[in-house]
Amino acid sequence: MAQFDRVARLTIGQAGADGIIIEKLRIVFEIEKDPTEETNKSSIRVYNLAPETWKKIEQWVDNDGGLCILEAGYAEDIGLVRIFAGYITYVTSTKDGPDLVTEMELADGQLPIRDTVVSLGYGTGIDGRRIAQDVAAQMGLVLRVGPDAEFVSYPNGFAFAGYARHALTKICEASGLEWSVQNNELQIIAGGGSTGVRALVFSADSGLIGSPERIIKSPDKANKTKKKKTSKKKEKPEKQAGWKIRALLAPTATPCDAARVESMTVTGWFKMESVKHVGDTHGDKWHSEIELIEVMLD
């Protein structure tokens, strides 16, 4: 695999307004993703934006706008691939020597999760999947459902009024499912399960750096990879065993997809539990750190 000649593009836009595309400037990013209900986070720094550009971004953030899409990859291989999509929650611009550095903090699905309110009413026998589809549509999110996810039906009907995120939690708890937002898409999987997507293979010939590191997560650490405390209902009662790997930047790596590791230490398919991407278009950093859990697949 030709994993060189790194490329990145940042697209920032607001409904009803012309978007901003940033490609040739220095872009530095750090992204953290996991399958909890907390929004995935990213911090992005852009060097030497034109003053009118960063002022426009600041105005959008003040008005709850500014959906940001970051793409990254390799010109000689897959080209640009979406690695993060989220809303800008904070922006500031400061001088760093000769450079003007614009720093942004982003949250995946921030506005739909925070603001969407639904009023739902269904008759007898309604299926939970239909309800989830309707909630996703009102949130403006595409729904992805894992192959093992089974929804209960409601013989007495279903009614709910309130935040969409609470409706999703209620539906998923009743069916033993988990939901999260990944790249501005609503993902629902079986509890402790996967999306069914076998996405990536990591070996010495396909970007694996060094040897996999054995990890054991105690019950109170499992599924708590973000800085904020996650919901108790997503904690696992048992220990989780797996591996932590470091690889050349893998922008398509998504929590709960499957990845295959081929090394002298371990070979097999595993569930990607958490993913951290770090990149600098003008520096040395351009890699992914992935925690893999032994729950399947061979």
Side-chain angles (χ1 to χ4, degrees):
M1 182 182 295
Q3 291 175 307
F4 52 89
D5 195 6
R6 63 185 67 169
V7 288
R9 178 170 64 200
L10 191 61
T11 303
I12 306 171
Q14 186 180 43
D18 293 332
I20 298 168
I21 298 177
I22 302 165
E23 288 188 281
K24 300 184 183 297
L25 299 178
R26 182 182 181 185
I27 300 173
V28 181
F29 58 86
E30 184 172 309
I31 299 164
E32 294 188 35
K33 299 182 177 184
D34 70 27
T36 67
E37 294 176 12
E38 292 284 343
T39 55
N40 292 327
K41 302 294 193 298
S42 174
S43 62
I44 300 175
R45 299 196 306 274
V46 181
Y47 286 69
N48 299 315
L49 281 175
E52 59 270 20
T53 301
W54 59 259
K55 287 180 181 178
K56 187 175 183 180
I57 295 172
E58 288 178 342
Q59 291 174 352
W60 283 352
V61 174
D62 287 340
N63 295 322
D64 271 344
L67 176 64
C68 181
I69 297 174
L70 176 63
E71 299 166 284
Y74 306 90
E76 297 295 323
D77 181 33
I78 57 176
L80 289 165
V81 176
R82 180 179 294 193
I83 192 171
F84 192 85
Y87 289 87
I88 304 172
T89 59
Y90 173 82
V91 62
T92 184
S93 294
T94 57
K95 291 290 289 185
D96 183 8
D99 297 315
L100 176 68
V101 182
T102 300
E103 183 172 355
M104 295 171 279
E105 294 180 1
L106 292 81
D108 191 357
Q110 171 75 3
L111 295 188
I113 291 175
R114 186 192 70 188
D115 296 344
T116 304
V117 175
V118 296
S119 179
L120 308 169
Y122 300 89
T124 57
I126 185 66
D127 181 68
R129 181 185 292 262
R130 165 66 188 282
I131 303 171
Q133 290 171 340
D134 291 347
V135 173
Q138 292 194 46
M139 297 176 77
L141 301 176
V142 174
L143 176 62
R144 293 178 61 204
V145 178
D148 299 329
E150 297 183 0
F151 294 81
V152 299
S153 60
Y154 294 84
N156 298 320
F158 182 89
F160 180 90
Y163 285 109
R165 63 181 183 273
H166 295 158
L168 289 173
T169 299
K170 184 176 183 179
I171 297 164
C172 288
E173 282 185 337
S175 301
L177 307 177
E178 301 174 356
W179 72 267
S180 65
V181 174
Q182 307 291 338
N183 282 349
N184 214 37
E185 294 183 347
L186 177 60
Q187 177 176 288
I188 296 179
I189 62 170
S194 75
T195 64
V197 176
R198 297 194 178 200
L200 296 165
V201 177
F202 294 102
S203 68
D205 296 328
S206 60
L208 184 64
I209 300 172
S211 299
E213 174 188 346
R214 184 66 167 169
I215 57 173
I216 302 291
K217 283 188 174 183
S218 61
D220 63 328
K221 296 295 183 182
N223 256 2
K224 287 189 177 182
T225 55
K226 290 197 179 77
K227 294 180 181 179
K228 292 185 177 180
K229 185 178 180 182
T230 57
S231 174
K232 290 184 178 180
K233 61 182 169 295
K234 302 198 78 175
E235 295 173 8
K236 303 292 189 300
E238 72 281 358
K239 291 183 178 180
Q240 292 183 337
W243 301 87
K244 182 176 182 178
I245 64 170
R246 181 184 174 98
L248 296 179
L249 189 73
T252 59
T254 301
C256 298
D257 284 357
R260 182 173 177 83
V261 178
E262 297 178 351
S263 72
M264 295 182 64
T265 306
V266 60
T267 296
W269 286 94
F270 305 91
K271 184 177 81 169
M272 291 187 281
E273 182 70 6
S274 66
V275 181
K276 181 178 181 179
H277 300 297
V278 178
D280 183 344
T281 57
H282 291 55
D284 296 331
K285 295 180 179 179
W286 200 257
H287 65 268
S288 299
E289 299 173 4
I290 304 171
E291 289 191 355
L292 304 158
I293 301 299
E294 294 178 344
V295 295
M296 52 179 188
L297 282 156
D298 281 343

